[in-house]
Amino acid sequence: MSARMLPVPDGLDGMRVDAGLAKLLGLSRTVVAELAESGEILLDGRPAGKSDRLAAGGLLEVTLPDPASPIEVIAEPVEGMRILHDDDDIVVISKPVGVAVHPSPGWNGPTVVAGLAASGLRIATSGAAERQGVVHRLDAGTTGVMVVAKSEHAYTVLKRAFKERTVDKGYHAIVQGHPDPTRGTIDAPIDRHPRHDYKFAVVQGGRPSVTHYEVVEAFRAASLAQIKLETGRTHQIRVHFSALKHPCVGDLTYGADPVLARKLGLSRQWLHAKTLGFAHPADGRWVEFESEYPDDLATALRVLQDEN
C-alpha cells in the first residue's frame, strides 16, 4: 500500500469523490468507491464517501493498493466466434454473445483475445498485456462485427481512426414501441449512473454522445432500427434508447419489458453490430464487413414479423 497527499484542483470542484479521483488518478470509479468504503480516502482529514463532493483546495489523502499483477491471456477456443477476414494487418471477427473482448477482473468467461490465440493468430503487442491489439470493444452481451489489429502499424492507425471518428459503425436494434420521429439523432451526454455503478445513464456533464437512427421496420409492439454511432461510449445505444423510453427489447437492465423478452425467447438485449467500415491501415482503401444475426436475434425478429 502507498499513501498520496494532493490538493483538489479547481477543475474537480463540485465533483463526486469517485468521479473526481477516478479522473485525477486514472483509476476506475469502482476501485475508488472500494477505497472510500474501506476508509482509504480522507478529505481534509475526515473519511470521504464515494458520493461526497470535492471542494477546490481541499486536501486529499489516498492510500492506494499495490499494483495488481497483469492478467494473463490463456489461449482458449471460443465457440461460435467466426473469422470474417484475416490478413497481415487485421483480423475481423463476428463475436458471439457471452464473450468479452479481453480479460478483466471479475470476468471468468471466454474472450476474443483468448479465442484468437487459440486459433494461432498473432496480434499486435501494443496496448495493455491483457488487451493487446484491441482497438475497440463490444459488450459481452452484444454480438457482431469487430476488428483486432495484428500489426503494430495497424494498431496505431486504427486507434487513431476510432478516436477521430472516421470509422463507420452500423448497428441494428429492436427497440420497444415506435420512436417518433422515425429518423433522428440522439445527442445526450453519458456517464456512470448516479446510483448504480454497474450501468450508465444520460447525465448532465457526462461525456458527449451522439447516436443516429432510422426505423426500417415497424411491428405491433416494437421497431427495428438501423443505427450509426458517431461516438462510442459504453452501453451508448442501450442508454440512449432507454432515455427515449424505447429500450432495446430484452434489455432488462435498462427498463425493457420482461414479458415481451420471454415471449421472444430473449435473455439479453436485441442489439447487433451489423457492419463495420474503415480505411485499411495497410493502404488506406475503404473496406466494409458485415455480420449476420445470431440465432436468438433472428428467431425473435421472425416472431415479431409473423405477428404483423
Side-chain angles (χ1 to χ4, degrees), residues 215-229:
V215 172
V216 293
E217 192 171 357
F219 314 108
R220 287 184 182 178
S223 304
L224 175 63
Q226 185 171 284
I227 297 163
K228 295 288 186 181
L229 287 186

Side-chain angles (χ1 to χ4, degrees), residues 1-307:
M1 305 287 280
S2 60
R4 294 184 61 182
M5 298 183 66
L6 55 163
V8 177
D10 292 344
L12 301 187
D13 186 54
M15 290 186 68
R16 285 169 51 117
V17 164
D18 54 359
L21 268 181
K23 187 174 183 179
L24 189 62
L25 299 176
L27 302 172
S28 72
R29 284 180 62 163
T30 301
V31 169
V32 175
E34 290 172 353
L35 290 174
E37 288 171 7
S38 58
E40 305 294 351
I41 300 175
L42 302 181
L43 182 57
D44 293 329
R46 295 187 299 273
K50 66 178 182 180
S51 59
D52 289 351
R53 298 289 172 173
L54 297 171
L59 182 63
L60 279 166
E61 299 175 60
V62 186
T63 304
L64 297 171
D66 295 327
S69 300
I71 299 172
E72 184 181 2
V73 175
I74 300 173
E76 184 179 357
V78 173
E79 184 178 355
M81 189 173 85
R82 293 188 299 113
I83 294 176
L84 304 177
H85 173 84
D86 178 27
D87 62 36
D88 290 341
D89 290 284
I90 61 173
V91 57
V92 181
I93 62 125
S94 180
K95 187 185 84 65
V97 67
V99 178
V101 174
H102 58 76
S104 60
W107 177 260
N108 298 315
T111 67
V112 168
V113 294
L116 292 175
S119 299
L121 292 177
R122 172 192 58 80
I123 60 177
T125 58
S126 301
E130 72 278 5
R131 52 179 179 268
Q132 290 177 349
V134 173
V135 293
H136 71 127
R137 292 178 286 185
L138 296 176
D139 299 340
T142 299
T143 51
V145 61
M146 60 173 294
V147 61
V148 178
K150 292 179 66 178
S151 69
E152 309 310 318
H153 172 70
Y155 181 88
T156 300
V157 171
L158 288 173
K159 285 292 281 188
R160 184 188 312 126
F162 277 96
K163 183 177 181 180
E164 295 178 354
R165 306 177 186 176
T166 59
V167 177
D168 189 4
K169 297 175 284 186
Y171 291 75
H172 282 186
I174 293 182
V175 300
Q176 290 184 192
H178 305 104
D180 184 15
T182 57
R183 181 177 185 177
T185 294
I186 308 168
D187 186 349
I190 291 175
D191 207 337
R192 287 278 182 184
H193 194 285
R195 294 186 303 279
H196 307 292
D197 278 350
Y198 63 91
K199 63 181 183 178
F200 293 77
V202 170
V203 296
Q204 188 174 1
R207 301 178 72 189
S209 308
V210 180
T211 302
H212 307 285
Y213 73 91
E214 180 178 4
V215 172
V216 293
E217 192 171 357
F219 314 108
R220 287 184 182 178
S223 304
L224 175 63
Q226 185 171 284
I227 297 163
K228 295 288 186 181
L229 287 186
E230 189 170 314
T231 52
R233 310 304 179 205
T234 303
H235 296 184
Q236 178 172 322
I237 294 172
R238 301 167 64 189
V239 170
H240 271 171
F241 279 92
S242 176
L244 288 186
K245 309 301 182 187
H246 296 290
C248 294
V249 169
D251 194 358
L252 305 188
T253 299
Y254 287 101
D257 178 7
V259 175
L260 180 58
R262 285 195 299 270
K263 177 183 176 183
L264 299 178
L266 288 173
S267 58
R268 52 111 170 189
Q269 66 270 13
W270 205 111
L271 176 62
H272 184 67
K274 182 68 172 170
T275 60
L276 186 66
F278 52 89
H280 196 289
D283 54 16
R285 76 185 187 281
W286 187 258
V287 291
E288 291 186 354
F289 304 95
E290 183 171 345
S291 170
E292 296 304 313
Y293 300 147
D295 289 344
D296 62 335
L297 301 191
T299 298
L301 175 59
R302 282 195 298 271
V303 172
L304 289 169
Q305 289 172 330
D306 289 346
E307 285 185 343

